Amino acid sequence: MEPSVPATPLRRLALALALLAPVAGAETAPPLSLDLAMSHPDWIGPPVERLWWSADSAQVAYALKREGSPVRDTWLQPADGSAPGRRLGPEAQALADAANPVYDPARQRMAYVRNGDVFVVELARGERRQLTQSSETESDLRFSRDGAELFFRVGQEWRAADLMSGRVRSVALLRAEKDPQEAPKPDLLRETELRLIATLARQRGEREALAAEAKAQREADPGSVPAPVFLGDDVSIASSGLSPDGRHLVVALEPKNADAGRGGKMPRFINESGYEDAEDVRTRVGRNPPVGQSLRLVDLAEGRVRTLDLAVLPGIDVDPLAALKREHGQPALGGPRPVRLIGLQFADDGTPLAMLRSVDNKDRWIVRIDRAQARLATVHRLSDPAWINWNFNDFGALPDGRAWWLSEESGYSHLYVEDGRRPRALTAGRWEASQPVLDAARRHFLFLCNRAWPGDYEVCRVPVAGGEVRELTALDGVEDFALSPDGRRLALRWSAPFIPPQAAVVDVDGGEAVKLTDTRSPAFRAMPWREPRFVQVPSSDGAGSIWGKLYTPPRMEPGRTYPVVMFVHGAGYLQNVHQRWPVYFREQMFHQLLTDRGYLVLDLDFRASEGYGRDWRTAIYRRMGTPELQDYKDGIDWLVEHHQADRARVGIYGGSYGGFMTLMAMFRAPGVFQAGAALRPVTDWRHYNHPYTSNILDTPELGPEVYVESSPIEHAEHLQGRLLIAHGMIDDNVFFQDSVRLAQRLIELKKPGWELAGYPLERHAYVQPESWYDQYRRILELMDATLKPDAP
């Protein structure tokens, strides 16, 4: 069913320009052109951006972008597909439920935050109440252990709403300040002054008397606001979590005024004011490593704050970078490694479970906090000589208090439960489990899996007690899912290579999915899209198959050879060879345009890509750009052997990490690639951010030779062929400075055949259709001029 999207003037104009017939079912596809492929994606139709359930489990809500506007509308549709979706107006939205709800222990109540305020729904009666209405923003909802209260956080204050009366009370107020009533440290001058000056001593006594009286009144009056929890004036509060019995807080603290490193200044040449100005931007790798955190356990009943000893973490005092530090003359680690809190969960009985990560990102610990003893007990430790993945860090507690978690320890992300001294794997194999949640009865895990092949994503289920892993869907491209409040159905976002994310519903026990939406425009649906072929390229390094998407001309003539364009996706750790709607949907259309002009196009999930396990991800550790380049050279060999490719006519392009790899191809494999288009490329890893770069290359001080090997600017003298560099001039991710520095290097090397195109109003992710068109016009002209495809 298609939501009844209104025919706005913009849509009518698009349809007219596309020469579409106005009668449904008689649409005529416009010719695919570069202008059409790079135009605003409104012409495609809005993707379902997120979806959630109504409290009665009868309807699915989802968000769609309004055509010609940045506004996102909420649509509501019966979960059985019996009627089309309807857009909710402002009054209806004020009565709608919201995404990311939490449930009480008996799953009788549901709560959520909408527009910064807290709402609770009695599921049996469908009664909805608004608990807060203020300019403050509430977050971190959780029900109390007995289900009688709902806890939430406002800034650094935790509050509780009584669900019978609706009364809201303050539970705890955290302050990064010194306790004004704390006894001062012994000081001779102070004590002398108090002994000699009677007025000072009297004033001090009066303050202490007032404070003691206020404390006594608070303790005697249950309606009074509790005293603040003072944590010291030398720290800042990073995060906190309240136990479901409302008694304990776990707080992560950082040193106050820690050195954040020198930031950058990015020029902005075009502004509404007509004047140029500068924008503050991030620091560079090694200039601002994350600071370590300390943990406090706060007993709200006793008013006691205790420090949790992190030195008990196994391996915390072992420096995995010690050998590198010695080799490069750097000082050894002095004491335990700094760590940070990256997740906090609570068991039903209130016991906290915390996930900690070392700042060097070589270790991850899941710990249980003994509240009586204020002591950590390690449940699981994951170590990686390269780096711990930023994905697959979900964890939580089972009804009986045991922990569960995701881990890559087998080489692939899988689901584990605590089972005595050794964890027990619930899933296994050369595939990845992700996004796990417990079902309503908390007897099964529901999660995403790619068991059939790395690019096929379904919803799977496995019993908590262990057993068979079942696929509940057969959609090939599930993006994410939400469990209905009654626990009987799943709302799905799914997609396909030429279908943007849509809404569907499936029974929690599996079966045929009910597809609710098709938001594609008539113009986009009418296009004769050709799906890419999913292929496997053998790796000459023995790493296994390199999965790819192959686009070929509509008709391949025997005996003829074809020029090649190779595409490199961004982010490094990203998957683009899958059966979902691609992040690079414009490029997918561009690739069809290229094949219409006689090109072969190969898009590879090179080493470092997501979806293929830990070893594929970390193959680039301390040698970024080397195994990935070999994968692309293997792709050329495979195309020559199997698909009539002309080895002498090969181009390559990509953005961000793809831009970096394009430069590595042009500089490190001169003559192999005759043309390259490097879009918003990293040219020197010493200028990129710390969290990303230090994981893969460590810091420049621990591997100057590694940064030389992996930075394209160090190899610019080897450029052959023709090179286009294109970059947004207000890119606050990969700075435009990267391309400017490379341009100066190429000038000094007197290199011919390159050009730099700057886009004054674009950041890292381009937005304006004119910029998209100009950039890809240049790429197309570069490939045509250099590779000279014959007419098909």
Side-chain angles (χ1 to χ4, degrees):
M1 304 294 291
E2 182 184 7
S4 52
V5 181
T8 62
L10 179 61
R11 180 174 294 278
R12 288 195 294 269
L13 177 60
L15 297 183
L17 291 175
L19 302 177
L20 293 175
V23 180
E27 311 295 349
T28 301
L32 180 60
S33 66
L34 185 63
D35 197 7
L36 184 64
M38 298 299 146
S39 61
H40 195 287
D42 275 357
W43 87 274
I44 296 171
V48 172
E49 295 183 358
R50 56 194 175 96
L51 80 173
W52 61 97
W53 285 92
S54 61
D56 61 6
S57 299
Q59 300 188 87
V60 173
Y62 46 88
L64 296 179
K65 178 187 175 298
R66 186 183 301 176
E67 186 173 359
S69 169
V71 172
R72 267 60 181 175
D73 290 311
T74 297
W75 292 66
L76 199 62
Q77 187 164 354
D80 59 7
S82 59
R86 59 187 177 92
R87 185 172 63 185
L88 302 184
E91 292 183 1
Q93 285 199 52
L95 300 175
D97 298 309
N100 304 314
V102 297
Y103 298 92
D104 69 358
R107 210 176 176 90
Q108 296 177 346
R109 293 188 178 107
M110 179 177 88
Y112 49 79
V113 173
R114 191 181 69 220
N115 298 327
D117 287 310
V118 179
F119 295 77
V120 66
V121 182
E122 302 286 343
L123 293 176
R125 301 193 302 271
E127 176 187 314
R128 182 183 297 101
R129 287 185 292 159
Q130 183 171 349
L131 299 182
T132 66
Q133 185 178 24
S134 71
S135 59
E136 300 171 312
T137 299
E138 287 81 19
S139 62
D140 293 349
L141 302 186
R142 61 195 64 188
F143 282 93
S144 64
R145 182 178 178 182
D146 60 6
E149 290 187 302
L150 180 67
F151 298 127
F152 56 91
R153 184 173 60 83
V154 179
Q156 299 301 343
E157 181 180 12
W158 282 91
R159 299 175 184 174
D162 185 289
L163 297 178
M164 290 294 291
S165 66
R167 174 175 166 269
V168 176
R169 65 183 177 89
S170 178
V171 176
L173 175 60
L174 299 174
R175 287 188 176 170
E177 302 171 10
K178 184 180 293 185
D179 187 344
Q181 303 306 317
E182 182 181 344
K185 295 179 181 179
D187 184 281
L188 179 60
L189 287 179
R190 181 191 301 110
E191 299 307 319
T192 301
E193 207 72 357
L194 290 171
R195 178 173 56 81
L196 294 176
I197 309 300
T199 301
L200 291 178
R202 185 171 59 253
Q203 290 174 337
R204 176 177 173 176
E206 291 171 350
R207 290 196 307 271
E208 291 175 345
L210 288 171
E213 179 62 21
K215 179 180 179 182
Q217 289 185 7
R218 279 196 307 270
E219 292 175 348
D221 182 3
S224 64
V225 175
V229 177
F230 294 99
L231 298 166
D233 59 359
D234 58 345
V235 296
S236 61
I237 301 168
S239 61
S240 64
L242 179 65
S243 63
D245 56 11
R247 169 148 184 177
H248 289 92
L249 279 167
V250 177
V251 187
L253 301 176
E254 297 177 358
K256 185 172 287 185
N257 302 321
D259 183 9
R262 177 180 173 180
K265 294 283 185 181
M266 182 175 67
R268 296 180 56 129
F269 294 101
I270 299 179
N271 298 281
E272 290 183 10
S273 68
Y275 290 87
E276 71 283 352
D277 62 14
E279 180 178 318
D280 291 331
V281 288
R282 60 164 173 79
T283 56
R284 272 73 167 173
V285 58
R287 307 291 174 172
N288 65 330
V291 298
Q293 295 177 340
S294 58
L295 297 185
R296 303 289 189 273
L297 180 66
V298 181
D299 188 323
L300 297 174
E302 297 181 2
R304 185 163 54 146
V305 179
R306 289 178 287 177
T307 299
L308 295 171
D309 185 9
L310 301 178
V312 301
L313 296 174
I316 190 67
D317 56 350
V318 177
D319 186 355
L321 296 170
L324 278 175
K325 290 177 180 177
R326 286 194 299 270
E327 180 183 343
H328 293 93
Q330 297 296 312
L333 177 70
R337 283 183 284 162
V339 302
R340 294 178 65 85
L341 177 69
I342 62 170
L344 185 65
Q345 303 288 342
F346 290 90
D348 288 356
D349 67 358
T351 299
L353 291 171
M355 181 176 283
L356 302 165
R357 186 193 299 267
S358 58
V359 167
D360 58 35
N361 211 10
K362 307 290 187 184
D363 274 284
R364 185 196 79 180
W365 298 270
I366 298 171
V367 298
R368 181 175 284 108
I369 300 175
D370 183 328
R371 293 186 288 174
Q373 302 297 321
R375 185 182 305 160
L376 304 182
T378 300
V379 174
H380 182 257
R381 176 190 178 190
L382 176 65
S383 297
D384 198 306
W387 73 94
I388 302 292
N389 200 339
W390 288 106
N391 290 353
F392 311 131
N393 291 301
D394 307 71
F395 74 108
L398 297 171
D400 59 9
R402 290 181 298 148
W404 64 262
W405 62 89
L406 287 181
S407 173
E408 279 188 320
E409 61 196 86
S410 71
Y412 291 82
S413 170
H414 283 296
L415 187 57
Y416 295 81
V417 294
E418 189 178 7
D419 189 11
R421 291 183 174 272
R422 301 186 63 181
R424 180 161 54 91
L426 297 184
T427 64
R430 296 176 62 84
W431 53 274
E432 295 183 330
S434 59
Q435 301 182 31
V437 296
L438 285 166
D439 66 8
R442 301 202 288 180
R443 296 193 184 99
H444 295 86
F445 281 103
L446 305 167
F447 56 95
L448 289 190
C449 57
N450 59 348
R451 299 199 309 166
W453 67 278
D456 182 325
Y457 285 88
E458 307 290 357
V459 179
C460 279
R461 185 173 76 176
V462 68
V464 168
E468 179 190 6
V469 175
R470 283 189 53 214
E471 290 189 8
L472 304 180
T473 59
L475 293 169
D476 301 331
V478 177
E479 303 268 355
D480 49 48
F481 62 92
L483 181 65
S484 62
D486 63 11
R488 296 176 181 175
R489 289 182 288 186
L490 299 174
L492 312 167
R493 277 196 329 128
W494 70 279
S495 64
F498 286 99
I499 302 177
Q502 304 296 325
V505 170
V506 70
D507 189 85
V508 76
D509 291 321
E512 185 174 355
V514 177
K515 295 179 179 179
L516 300 181
T517 63
D518 185 351
T519 60
R520 294 173 295 169
S521 70
F524 190 78
R525 275 184 299 195
M527 294 293 295
W529 301 117
R530 298 193 303 274
E531 300 247 345
R533 293 169 54 188
F534 297 104
V535 298
Q536 298 182 67
V537 175
S539 169
S540 62
D541 288 353
S545 294
I546 311 159
W547 280 90
K549 289 194 289 192
L550 175 65
Y551 303 79
T552 62
R555 293 174 298 278
M556 298 282 287
E557 298 177 11
R560 176 185 167 192
T561 60
Y562 292 84
V564 175
V565 173
M566 310 193 89
F567 174 67
V568 193
H569 68 66
Y573 190 63
L574 179 145
Q575 188 175 15
N576 202 45
V577 181
H578 53 62
Q579 292 184 269
R580 295 163 163 169
W581 176 252
V583 172
Y584 300 97
F585 60 89
R586 291 183 183 88
E587 288 79 355
Q588 181 173 252
M589 292 184 280
F590 181 61
H591 295 163
Q592 179 158 323
L593 185 66
L594 287 173
T595 60
D596 288 343
R597 299 167 70 92
Y599 288 92
L600 295 168
V601 181
L602 184 60
D603 171 2
L604 293 176
D605 272 350
F606 49 87
R607 273 172 289 179
S609 295
E610 181 181 3
Y612 304 89
R614 181 264 172 198
D615 291 348
W616 198 261
R617 172 177 66 83
T618 62
I620 61 171
Y621 180 55
R622 292 181 67 85
R623 56 179 192 144
M624 203 187 305
T626 297
E628 310 98 293
L629 181 55
Q630 186 58 53
D631 291 343
Y632 275 89
K633 291 196 288 187
D634 289 344
I636 296 172
D637 292 341
W638 181 80
L639 286 172
V640 169
E641 182 178 356
H642 297 286
H643 292 282
Q644 303 171 235
D646 186 342
R647 189 184 297 276
R649 295 187 292 168
V650 180
I652 187 169
Y653 87 100
S656 193
Y657 200 96
F660 152 70
M661 279 305 305
T662 296
L663 294 177
M664 291 296 275
M666 297 300 291
F667 298 165
R668 300 303 302 273
V672 175
F673 301 89
Q674 287 72 49
L679 320 176
R680 52 199 182 277
V682 175
T683 67
D684 187 340
W685 288 107
R686 289 160 293 211
H687 285 256
Y688 200 53
N689 69 43
H690 183 91
Y692 185 95
T693 316
S694 65
N695 280 345
I696 303 172
L697 299 180
D698 296 318
T699 60
E701 293 76 17
L702 295 183
E705 73 286 354
V706 170
Y707 278 78
V708 168
E709 187 72 11
S710 296
S711 294
I713 198 169
E714 297 280 0
H715 311 285
E717 68 271 16
H718 301 300
L719 173 63
Q720 295 180 19
R722 294 188 57 184
L723 173 64
L724 166 66
I725 307 166
H727 211 137
M729 293 173 66
I730 54 171
D731 187 337
D732 52 3
N733 182 353
V734 180
F735 301 152
F736 183 57
Q737 182 196 31
D738 264 58
S739 289
V740 172
R741 292 178 68 243
L742 178 60
Q744 181 61 29
R745 179 74 177 138
L746 293 170
I747 290 168
E748 293 176 359
L749 290 168
K750 300 179 181 179
K751 284 291 180 180
W754 65 274
E755 63 175 308
L756 170 61
Y759 296 86
L761 292 178
E762 296 293 355
R763 294 193 181 272
H764 197 62
Y766 287 19
V767 173
Q768 304 306 323
E770 298 86 355
S771 300
W772 278 102
Y773 175 82
D774 184 84
Q775 182 174 246
Y776 277 77
R777 172 189 60 79
R778 293 172 186 269
I779 298 171
L780 185 58
E781 290 174 355
L782 170 69
M783 300 302 175
D784 279 353
T786 308
L787 308 181
K788 298 181 177 65
D790 300 325

